[in-house]
Amino acid sequence: MIREAHVNGIKLVYREEGDPTAPPLLLIHGRTANHNDWNGITQHFAARYRVIALDLRGHGASDFLGPYELPEMAEDVVALLDHLDIGRTTLIGHSLGGVTAYHAAMNHPDRVERLVLEDAPPPLPFKNRPPLVEDDSTGFDWRMMHDTERQLVGPDPAWLEGLDKITAPTLVLSGGEQSQVDTGELAARIPGARLVTIDVGHLIHTMARSRFLQAVDAFLDA
């Protein structure tokens, strides 16, 4: 079911599946994607969770409204939880969605039950990034690309210290040597985080769906 919520000053569109009385699980897609990036994943989790997959601001059918500050995008997620009357949830985020998820977890530790970060970059300067060049791609706001790129390349140093505030059990999934993301450093900074490598590159949940689901299920069932 596709729905929309007007929260934190913007319209967020989201998809909901599963039993509305089941434990909540929220999926956050990566940059330039939308809730459809989780097709096949949502159905798997909907067997035992209330699954919500949103379009982040600047993506899909949600509002294209900046500025696109990463902590504010995390506040969108928390505001959506408030709208849905969800106190605590499992958060699963890929790439930019993972960054959004860990900002939510460190700024609102009481709202996150468990945290899964799929090949999400740590808040450290992202070196050797090629310049961002616009093309005719659609489905997202190019201002979002420039705003988030600036923060990925030069993150606020306070964000690294903020990772210490995460209290939720955390699984960090690495794409291995085929990915340019330093997930090992992210896992080292989050208290008690578990690091699992699935050596298929950045798009773990699409390139190795069964292994992704197996790793996440094992973590959620622990």
Side-chain angles (χ1 to χ4, degrees):
M1 178 77 68
I2 304 296
R3 297 187 170 95
E4 64 180 53
H6 294 265
V7 297
N8 203 26
I10 65 166
K11 178 187 77 175
L12 287 182
V13 170
Y14 63 97
R15 185 167 95 223
E16 190 165 1
E17 298 181 28
D19 182 351
T21 66
L25 182 150
L26 196 149
L27 295 159
I28 312 177
H29 61 77
R31 196 162 70 163
T32 76
N34 57 48
H35 70 268
N36 288 310
D37 192 54
W38 299 109
N39 290 348
I41 303 290
T42 55
Q43 292 88 336
H44 172 85
F45 289 122
R48 57 194 178 120
Y49 290 96
R50 176 189 181 186
V51 178
I52 298 105
L54 83 160
D55 290 351
L56 288 169
R57 70 163 67 199
H59 295 78
S62 290
D63 279 345
F64 287 17
L65 182 64
Y68 296 98
E69 300 300 318
L70 295 173
E72 194 62 23
M73 294 173 77
E75 292 304 313
D76 293 344
V77 173
V78 175
L80 179 60
L81 295 178
D82 290 340
H83 173 80
L84 296 171
D85 198 26
I86 293 173
R88 290 168 63 84
T89 187
T90 293
L91 278 184
I92 299 177
H94 171 237
S95 192
L96 178 68
V99 174
T100 304
Y102 69 62
H103 274 275
M106 68 191 190
N107 292 328
H108 300 274
D110 59 318
R111 306 301 296 274
V112 183
E113 188 77 32
R114 289 180 181 269
L115 182 63
V116 178
L117 305 173
E118 178 195 353
D119 221 48
L124 291 166
F126 211 133
K127 300 177 181 179
N128 303 317
R129 294 276 282 185
L132 190 62
V133 179
E134 294 190 22
D135 56 27
D136 58 357
S137 298
T138 58
F140 58 89
D141 186 354
W142 276 102
R143 181 183 175 185
M144 175 278 304
M145 292 289 288
H146 291 289
D147 283 359
T148 55
E149 187 70 15
R150 167 180 50 81
Q151 295 167 85
L152 292 174
V153 171
D156 185 333
W159 297 346
L160 190 63
E161 298 176 8
L163 295 176
D164 290 338
K165 300 176 183 177
I166 294 176
T167 58
T170 301
L171 171 65
V172 176
L173 293 174
S174 169
E177 294 183 0
Q178 298 181 60
S179 171
Q180 296 181 338
V181 177
D182 187 2
T183 43
E185 185 64 28
L186 180 63
R189 297 282 184 165
I190 298 175
R194 178 186 177 194
L195 177 65
V196 172
T197 299
I198 302 175
D199 198 4
V200 295
H202 189 54
L203 304 174
I204 302 170
H205 70 278
T206 56
M207 299 300 293
R209 180 183 296 178
S210 62
R211 293 166 67 189
F212 169 84
L213 291 173
Q214 183 179 31
V216 175
D217 281 343
F219 169 70
L220 296 181
D221 291 342

